[in-house]
Each structure stands twice: as C-alpha cells, then as structure tokens.
Amino acid sequence: MTKVLSVASECVPLVKTGGLADVVGALPQALAGEGIDMRVLMPGYRGVLKALKRPKEVFAEDDLFGGPARLLFGKAAGLELYAIDAPHLFDRDGSLYMDPGGRDWADNPMRFAALGWMAARIGAGAVKGWQPGILHLHDWQAGLAPVYLRDVMEVTGVGTLLTIHNIAFAGNAQPHLVDRLRLPSAGFSREGFEFWGQISTLKAGLVWADKINTVSPSYAGELMTPELGMGFDGLIRARQADVSGILNGIDTGVWDPMQADFAYKSPAGKKKNTTALRKELGLPPTRGPLCVLVSRLTHQKGIDLLVDALPALVDRGGQLAVLGSGDRTLEAALTSAAEDHPHVSVTIGYDEALSHRMIAGGDAVLVPSRFEPCGLTQLYGLRYGALPVVAYTGGLIDTVIPATAAGQAAGVATGFQFHPATSDAFARTLIRVCEAFQDKPGWTRMQRNAMRHPVGWDNSAKEYAALYAEIAAK
Ligand code: ADP
C-alpha cells in the first residue's frame, strides 16, 4: 500500500477557512478505495489537539523554530492525524493566520516552516513503523517541506507533490529570515525561493516539488498565463511537463439532498425547501428564481459584479439570498441592497447549516468569481438541483455544462456561464436565467442533468492515485 502524508494547515471538520480544508478532509477516505494509506499532518492548533483521541507522542524536537515541540499521532474525526504540539507557535487566541486584531501573525513564517519541517522529518523516517513514500503538500503553508527534505535532510527516496489550491497566497517572508527558517542561503535566488526580493514558501514548493497539480484542468492552464499566474506563470510554464489539474470532488454523503430538511431525490421534491427558505429569510413568494450565493465576500469572488447586476435580477421577479462574510465594503454594499429590495436577503456570517438550507432551497447558485481554482458551491448546487450560474473561469468551466444553444440542443446543460467577468455580462445572464426559469419543463430537465452530474471523488481519487504512482516510479 502506498503511504502518503498529506500536509496542510486546515482540514475539515477540524479547522477551515476555505475549500482547501474540504479537500484535505475528504482525500484520505476517497483514496482509501484506491489502495492509498493517507495520514494528515497539521499544526496543533488548540481545536486540533482537543479533537485528537488518545494521542501518542511519536517524535520530539528540542527546538522547532523557537521552542520545544512534540509530534502527536491519533485519530480525530475519522482521520489518522499527526499534530504538531508546539505551544510557542500554535497555542494562542485568534484565527489560524491572524491575531485577534486581524493582522497576520508576525511569526507566520516560523509557524508554517514548522509544518514543512515536521513533514520533512516524517519523510526522513522520524516515525517508527510508518514511512511515507510521498509527501502531498498543500499550498504555501507546506511549501518549504521539499526544500528541507532534499537540501537539509538530504532524503531522495521520498516523492513530493505540491497542490495549488489558490495561487493568490505566496507565503511571503522577509529575506533576513533565510537562516532562521533553516533554509539553504544558495536557495535565495531567482531560480530558488526568492520572489521579488522576499522568500516565497509557495515558490519553494513550486521549484522543489517533484510534481505540481492544481484543482481543475482549466485552472492548470490559466496558471501559465500572466493574467492569472500571479507572477508564477513563467515558472509554472517552465515546469509544464510536471503540472496537471485534478478536479476537487465533494463529500456526497454530507452534501446529499436526501439529508435536506425536506429530503428529495428529484427536482419536484425540492419545492418545500424553497418555500421554507423563503420563510426563514423573510422573502416574499415570487414567480422568479431564488438565487443563492454562499461565499467569502471578496473581490476574487466577484461580489461587486453581483451588487451591480442585482437590479437586472430583481426587476424580472428574481430573488437573491446571500450568506457570507469578508470585505467590509462588500458586506456593506450587500446589506444596503437588502435594505433597498424586499427580494434580497443578506446574512453576514459563517453558518454551515444555513449554507445547506440555502443550496437545498435555492433555484440557482451564483458563482461570479474573477478566478476560481475549482469552486465547491457550484458542485453543491449541481447535486441539489440548484442550477449553477458561473463565470467562465477555472474549475467553473470544467464542472458546469452551459445552457448555450448547443448545450440545450443536446439536452445536456446543467447551468449557465457568463463571459467576460463584468457586471453587464453577469446581468445579461441573470436575465436569461429568469427567462429559462419560466420554461418549467426545460428548467426541470436541466435540474435532472445537474443532479446526475458526477461530483463525488471517484474519478479524481483515481487520478491522484495515478499521479502518486507516477511520482513513486521516479
Ligand atoms: P474558497 O476556498 O476560495 O473560499 P470554495 O468554493 O473552494 O472557495 O470553498 C468555499 C467553501 O466554504 C465552501 O464549502 C462553502 O460552502 C464554504 N463557505 C464559504 N462561505 C461560507 C459561509 N459564510 N457559511 C458557510 N459556508 C461557507
């Protein structure tokens, strides 16, 4: 059995700020069916240590970037988990990456270097009885692991894979930290981990990992363009032969319309959920579609496009329900739109249960992102027969079959796409959605297609297993 250590700073259901956590939490089970023995390594945040059942100390460091640390192993939420118990780095109030005042923790470089270091230690055989053949590293937080593994610990027999969930986060650290982070000084160069005068832990991963992948085939291509490569496009183009895209799946047990408040298997059964959602959110009955959006409220997610396109939707009898939090200006713009329009409801906050009710009740799920590595809410929407209305970018291209003339004629459409990512294009598409919603047989056919679309992990688990095999063969 191939042993893989998955290394990440977030993992559902323990800690989550984004889709990365969903993927890390889902992979071990998805891959078990492919003969992969996957364990997860995470920082020992308070919540993680608390969740760890009967932890065993399997390794210790006297000085892990400023203090002693123990590596604990145990089960947590069904996962086989290694947690780094390093109170000087992880035992504190505040969120994963920020202090209670909302600023990045000043010692983030050391905190996540510790994650990479422990990953490399495990790769180097620190844990008796469990030697991984592959380190699967997620995003900038784990980016230093292959540098430590290859250049500091000089291990060659263990393969590495870096998965890019979001390239917008480069994991920058001040250049004077090279020594403190135990990095080889020769690595601080254009060919190494230097990125515009700083250390970039993401770039370290991109240069040092054996293979690189991202979470959809379309995003893999987009990363090679100056528009979406965020400064890494040249490097990724240079490594093209080692780059691939594997779509994220969703947990179809958790995201299952049969688990909705009013369980349903087919589009007709959805209606009770829609009625209940309207009631819960104080939205009046209307003839138009109830469009929902569950998202971080940021520029990336195109929330400003939604604010501008909103009149086109409500003028045609459509409704909007938003759940999210983030950028204060966008929160304020949405809240004020809700005050102006009786057909708009905005809930600022993070609420897993409400997100399920919204997708179960929504007629359509909106994802107007400017870029989207994979996106998960459109997959939830497909599964629940809430038709995705998405921007033509990244994973949204790969997961939604648009209701173009061709898509309609072939009877395969599952949603709507707009291009370019402007409020005008979005507004025009929302008008089309309102029109399409009036054609009940057509809409129901699309819902059926959507609900049948494979959104689980089956295909992608096979692709990861194949990629691990390729890495192991090298
Ligand atoms: P990203 O990782 O860029 O935020 P994804 O679509 O990949 O975007 O994943 C976002 C995840 O977070 C989804 O599971 C989504 O349902 C969830 N989510 C985002 N905002 C909220 C919220 N306010 N309440 C509940 N779930 C949310």
Side-chain angles (χ1 to χ4, degrees):
M1 236 188 177
T2 310
K3 293 187 174 61
V4 179
L5 182 71
S6 179
V7 184
S9 73
E10 308 181 15
C11 177
V12 156
L14 303 172
V15 275
K16 161 167 168 172
T17 70
L20 155 72
D22 293 283
V23 178
V24 175
L27 274 177
Q29 211 202 332
L31 285 161
E34 300 301 319
I36 306 286
D37 170 12
M38 176 174 271
R39 295 184 177 181
V40 177
L41 170 68
M42 291 186 71
Y45 310 115
R46 284 178 184 167
V48 171
L49 294 183
K50 213 185 264 167
L52 206 58
K53 290 203 197 94
R54 275 174 267 128
K56 263 194 343 203
E57 183 180 321
V58 292
F59 181 68
E61 286 276 342
D62 294 339
D63 176 13
L64 187 67
F65 302 100
R70 302 184 306 153
L71 182 66
L72 303 177
F73 177 70
K75 282 219 170 183
L79 301 161
E80 309 228 65
L81 189 77
Y82 293 102
I84 305 168
D85 180 18
H88 63 294
L89 300 174
F90 304 121
D91 182 19
R92 48 179 81 170
D93 294 330
S95 68
L96 301 193
Y97 311 117
M98 285 183 277
D99 65 22
R103 280 173 306 263
D104 282 352
W105 292 109
D107 62 347
N108 270 348
M110 274 62 77
R111 297 172 76 227
F112 295 102
L115 180 66
W117 185 268
M118 276 298 195
R121 278 283 198 227
I122 298 174
V127 176
K128 273 203 207 82
W130 200 80
Q131 169 64 55
I134 286 170
L135 304 183
H136 184 165
L137 312 163
H138 300 275
D139 272 353
W140 66 270
Q141 296 94 334
L144 295 180
V147 185
Y148 295 140
L149 185 75
R150 296 277 184 263
D151 290 23
V152 180
M153 300 173 199
E154 300 183 339
V155 175
T156 51
V158 173
T160 54
L161 169 66
L162 177 77
T163 298
I164 305 168
H165 296 265
N166 191 337
I167 204 157
F169 302 101
N172 282 339
Q174 296 292 327
H176 67 81
L177 290 174
V178 168
D179 280 351
R180 234 179 116 193
L181 295 178
R182 304 176 189 170
L183 291 168
S185 48
F188 190 74
S189 69
R190 274 185 67 134
E191 293 70 40
F193 45 72
E194 188 213 324
F195 188 55
W196 291 337
Q198 305 247 329
I199 298 166
S200 158
T201 61
L202 180 72
K203 191 174 174 212
L206 291 172
V207 173
W208 264 261
D210 298 327
K211 292 271 179 191
I212 300 165
N213 86 310
T214 186
V215 291
S216 69
S218 287
Y219 192 59
E222 290 169 353
L223 286 176
M224 296 179 205
T225 67
E227 291 75 25
L228 291 176
M230 305 264 174
F232 297 106
D233 47 293
L235 168 56
I236 297 174
R237 274 197 306 279
R239 294 215 53 192
Q240 195 154 11
D242 294 319
V243 178
S244 60
I246 301 179
L247 273 177
N248 286 337
I250 59 171
D251 186 331
T252 49
V254 173
W255 290 95
D256 178 359
M258 287 305 285
Q259 306 289 330
D261 284 352
F262 302 97
Y264 60 102
K265 269 200 189 104
S266 66
K270 192 178 166 72
K271 289 208 179 68
K272 280 188 182 162
N273 291 287
T274 312
T275 307
L277 181 64
R278 283 208 167 95
K279 208 161 152 211
E280 175 179 357
L281 300 177
L283 291 168
T286 172
R287 64 192 176 83
L290 171 53
C291 299
V292 301
L293 175 133
V294 179
S295 179
R296 292 186 289 120
L297 303 178
T298 64
H299 181 76
Q300 176 204 335
K301 299 294 182 179
I303 306 305
D304 52 319
L305 306 182
L306 174 61
V307 172
D308 292 344
L310 190 55
L313 177 68
V314 291
D315 288 354
R316 278 154 194 87
Q319 290 180 322
L320 173 70
V322 172
L323 167 63
S325 65
D327 189 304
R328 298 285 173 265
T329 334
L330 294 170
E331 287 182 358
L334 284 169
T335 308
S336 113
E339 282 160 8
D340 293 348
H341 297 283
H343 290 284
V344 176
S345 145
V346 172
T347 309
I348 300 297
Y350 190 94
D351 186 336
E352 201 83 31
L354 176 57
S355 77
H356 277 260
R357 292 197 295 280
M358 284 181 55
I359 312 269
D363 295 304
V365 169
L366 308 182
V367 195
S369 304
R370 290 193 160 83
F371 68 93
E372 193 58 78
C374 177
L376 293 175
T377 57
Q378 86 278 13
L379 300 178
Y380 305 152
L382 289 170
R383 178 108 169 106
Y384 280 73
L387 300 185
V389 182
V390 304
Y392 183 84
T393 188
L396 304 174
I397 300 176
D398 300 331
T399 52
V400 176
I401 305 171
T404 55
Q408 294 286 55
V412 294
T414 60
F416 302 83
Q417 276 173 349
F418 67 94
H419 180 78
T422 61
S423 49
D424 282 350
F426 191 23
R428 279 196 299 277
T429 298
L430 288 172
I431 294 169
R432 279 213 298 131
V433 171
C434 290
E435 287 164 4
F437 188 69
Q438 301 310 323
D439 164 19
K440 292 298 167 203
W443 188 271
T444 307
R445 188 169 61 236
M446 285 177 66
Q447 285 181 301
R448 286 220 180 82
N449 294 341
M451 292 177 77
R452 274 199 300 258
H453 190 92
V455 290
W457 274 101
D458 294 0
N459 292 336
S460 302
K462 287 192 172 56
E463 291 179 44
Y464 271 110
L467 186 52
Y468 296 151
E470 203 184 315
I471 293 169
K474 287 217 312 190

